[in-house]
Amino acid sequence: METKLLRIAQIAKEKPKEKFISLAHHINIETLTESHNQMTAGKAAGIDGETKSEYDKNLESNLKDLVGRMKRQAYKPQPVRRVYIPKSDSNKMRPLGIPSYEDKLVQSALAQILGAIYEAEFLDCSYGFRSGRGCHQALRELGRIIETKRINYIVDADIKGFFEHVDHEWLLKFLKLRIGDPNINRLIARFLRTGVMEAGNVYDTPEGTPQGGVVSPILANVYLHYVLDLWFEKAVRKWCKGEAYIIRYADDFICCFEHESEARAFYAMLIERLKKFNLEIAEDKTRILAFGRKAMSDNNENGPGKLGTFDFLGFTHYCGKSQNGNFRVKRKTSRKKLRASLTRLKDWLRKNRTIPAKELMKALNRKLQGYYNYYGVTDNIGMLEEFVHQNSKILYKWLNRRSQKKSFNWRTFNTSFLRRYPLAKPKIKMNLIYWLPLKA
């Protein structure tokens, strides 16, 4: 399969207007077996109740039956089981979709095929859900643009409920520009319209991408590639007299402009552009602010004031200076994400406080290392230390609630317990300064 995907990717790159008319045969027993082997065991089941371990008992016959149904057009995705989980940064509940196991397998193989085709199609400004591209690369490139280009204004935009409002008709039109295989297009259409099951009732899905589906990220990227990325590159940048750039990660994006008038004109155009494709701006989360070298200079000349900041991918971006006194974009963990992480930690400690201390601290330190791997970036050591400090206070609270009798006071907790079971120390793991290696 890997060789075939490389061939598809090569053709897509060499022939940007080529339509792929024969793709469905790549979803076969071999590729589905590979998808099955890559699935994580122990995941929640969809409405069919099937898990990886159960499906594995008769894997060969199950896959043979699945491929047979696909060949005779008898395969139909099952409705997605919808559950609700608490949002970590608010009191609201977030819907979570759980597809059936067979649907996961087919979507996984389909996503690999689409990824091979569109990886060459996507622009460099797109970072979300792409091989070899992640949040840190997007943050690093955004910093490079603001620091080295004539950027004075930021449009911090947010699309309201993007994944729930993707227009099916437009998405299928976009896909048909590169995919001429009717079997693949029919399969994608069925996934889009499969519906969701909630409390025993099945509801239609006239819009949006498959909830919880492996194929959803690539479909969302295709949609925004045509709706936003290409439009910005081919129309907005050519219209602007000053410099203009966009960095997008999934449905989160930041636009950078040299001139305020062009930033404001773009914002008005963006509203109309998204409206055409059944999307809208979350006006309460979208704003235009002065940001960059000039904003910092003007602030110093007019007397010290509070410079604007913006949040992107979990970090608050603010204007700062390097050790040499040069302008630099700096980042720190956003307060919203810090609170959300501490809330998750509190819930986890509350549920696991009774396990042996050695096991508890080992598991907790794994969580801390995962946190440092993402938030351990240049200039953010202060917020990492704040997270560890708050972590220790929450740990102290819940360890003292293991029994009716208080286990220790704050002094003995620090001098005895944490000396024996120390918390993992904060560490900067990523250099986001664009001229330095990414790894710290």
Side-chain angles (χ1 to χ4, degrees):
M1 181 59 176
E2 186 175 350
T3 303
K4 293 175 182 177
L5 291 175
L6 288 173
R7 179 59 183 155
I8 292 172
Q10 183 182 1
I11 295 171
K13 185 175 182 180
E14 293 175 352
K15 301 177 180 179
K17 294 185 179 180
E18 181 85 2
K19 268 193 178 184
F20 292 85
I21 59 174
S22 181
L23 294 170
H25 66 279
H26 291 300
I27 305 179
N28 51 39
I29 289 179
E30 289 75 19
T31 57
L32 292 171
T33 301
E34 185 179 336
S35 295
H36 169 76
N37 292 334
Q38 292 174 352
M39 290 292 170
T40 305
K43 292 290 185 178
I47 66 170
D48 59 347
E50 194 82 71
T51 62
K52 180 178 180 178
S53 58
E54 288 294 320
Y55 201 82
D56 194 51
K57 292 177 182 178
N58 299 293
L59 180 62
E60 188 176 345
S61 60
N62 284 335
L63 292 180
K64 187 176 180 180
D65 175 66
L66 173 57
V67 171
R69 280 182 281 133
M70 292 188 70
K71 286 182 177 179
R72 62 179 188 269
Q73 304 300 327
Y75 166 73
K76 292 184 179 180
Q78 299 186 63
V80 174
R81 182 167 73 90
R82 178 185 281 172
V83 296
Y84 290 87
I85 59 174
K87 290 187 75 171
S88 56
D89 52 1
S90 72
N91 295 323
K92 298 179 181 178
M93 302 293 284
R94 180 168 67 90
L96 179 68
I98 306 173
S100 66
Y101 190 75
E102 278 193 343
D103 294 343
K104 290 179 184 178
L105 296 181
V106 177
Q107 285 194 36
S108 176
L110 178 60
Q112 291 184 63
I113 294 170
L114 294 178
I117 295 171
Y118 283 99
E119 184 56 38
E121 187 90 3
F122 294 147
L123 303 184
D124 287 341
C125 63
S126 168
Y127 285 85
F129 307 111
R130 293 180 62 186
S131 178
R133 288 172 161 248
C135 294
H136 291 132
Q137 288 87 347
L139 292 166
R140 185 183 175 95
E141 178 61 11
L142 177 62
R144 186 192 71 81
I145 289 170
I146 297 174
E147 290 177 23
T148 63
K149 307 298 181 180
R150 297 191 300 272
I151 299 303
N152 302 315
Y153 294 91
I154 297 293
V155 179
D156 179 11
D158 188 89
I159 300 176
K160 189 175 181 179
F162 168 73
F163 286 94
E164 291 81 31
H165 295 295
V166 169
D167 187 282
H168 292 174
E169 187 177 348
W170 274 113
L171 177 57
L172 292 171
K173 283 181 181 179
F174 295 148
L175 289 166
K176 287 176 182 177
L177 295 174
R178 293 307 309 264
I179 300 173
D181 187 335
N183 294 319
I184 290 293
N185 288 324
R186 186 185 302 111
L187 180 62
I188 294 172
R190 285 181 176 179
F191 274 123
L192 291 173
R193 297 163 185 155
T194 188
V196 296
M197 177 175 282
E198 183 178 340
N201 298 315
V202 177
Y203 301 93
D204 292 334
T205 49
E207 58 182 3
T209 56
Q211 279 200 344
V214 184
V215 77
S216 289
I218 182 70
L219 293 179
N221 262 347
V222 169
Y223 200 76
L224 285 176
H225 169 71
Y226 289 103
V227 172
L228 187 61
D229 299 352
L230 279 178
W231 171 67
F232 192 93
E233 184 67 25
K234 303 294 184 182
V236 175
R237 290 193 69 185
K238 287 187 177 180
W239 164 79
C240 288
K241 293 181 179 178
E243 296 198 47
Y245 301 90
I246 183 173
I247 294 292
R248 180 176 66 82
Y249 188 95
D251 61 325
D252 293 329
F253 61 97
I254 296 291
C255 299
C256 309
F257 292 90
E258 180 179 354
H259 302 305
E260 181 180 9
S261 60
E262 292 175 352
R264 297 194 177 280
F266 164 75
Y267 177 70
M269 293 162 60
L270 178 65
I271 293 173
E272 294 302 314
R273 176 70 178 178
L274 294 180
K275 185 178 179 181
K276 178 180 177 181
F277 298 99
N278 198 37
L279 299 172
E280 62 178 307
I281 284 288
E283 295 187 14
D284 58 323
K285 298 180 181 178
T286 303
R287 61 204 177 103
I288 300 169
L289 70 150
F291 192 94
R293 186 178 287 100
K294 183 176 181 296
M296 192 169 183
S297 175
D298 290 346
N299 183 69
N300 292 335
E301 288 179 7
N302 300 327
K306 190 173 182 181
L307 282 166
T309 64
F310 66 93
D311 289 353
F312 184 55
L313 300 181
F315 293 91
T316 296
H317 293 62
Y318 61 98
C319 297
K321 288 185 177 181
S322 66
Q323 292 180 347
N324 297 327
N326 297 322
F327 168 78
R328 193 155 63 78
V329 177
K330 295 191 174 184
R331 305 162 190 86
K332 60 182 179 180
T333 310
S334 74
R335 284 291 172 184
K336 179 180 177 180
K337 294 299 181 182
L338 177 65
R339 288 193 300 269
S341 298
L342 290 172
T343 298
R344 287 195 299 271
L345 174 72
K346 181 171 65 176
D347 291 341
W348 182 82
L349 281 171
R350 177 176 54 82
K351 295 173 183 176
N352 294 278
R353 66 185 186 273
T354 57
I355 67 176
K358 185 176 180 180
E359 295 179 23
L360 177 72
M361 295 304 292
K362 188 176 180 180
L364 178 58
N365 279 327
R366 282 199 299 269
K367 290 182 176 293
L368 287 177
Q369 290 294 352
Y371 186 89
Y372 301 156
N373 286 342
Y374 185 75
Y375 289 104
V377 303
T378 314
D379 304 312
N380 198 34
I381 190 66
M383 292 299 284
L384 294 184
E385 291 172 345
E386 170 71 9
F387 180 74
V388 175
H389 176 65
Q390 295 297 332
N391 189 319
S392 63
K393 289 168 67 176
I394 295 170
L395 178 63
Y396 171 72
K397 170 186 173 180
W398 287 109
L399 287 180
N400 267 325
R401 293 193 178 187
R402 281 180 154 188
S403 63
Q404 293 181 344
K405 185 179 178 181
K406 194 172 183 180
S407 302
F408 31 57
N409 57 35
W410 181 249
R411 186 181 64 81
T412 55
F413 170 71
N414 282 279
T415 58
S416 177
F417 183 84
L418 288 185
R419 183 170 292 179
R420 186 176 181 184
Y421 304 110
L423 291 169
K425 291 183 178 181
K427 186 178 180 181
I428 299 300
K429 303 218 172 178
M430 289 286 175
N431 268 322
L432 296 188
I433 302 174
Y434 67 89
W435 66 83
L436 293 175
L438 185 61
K439 293 283 184 179

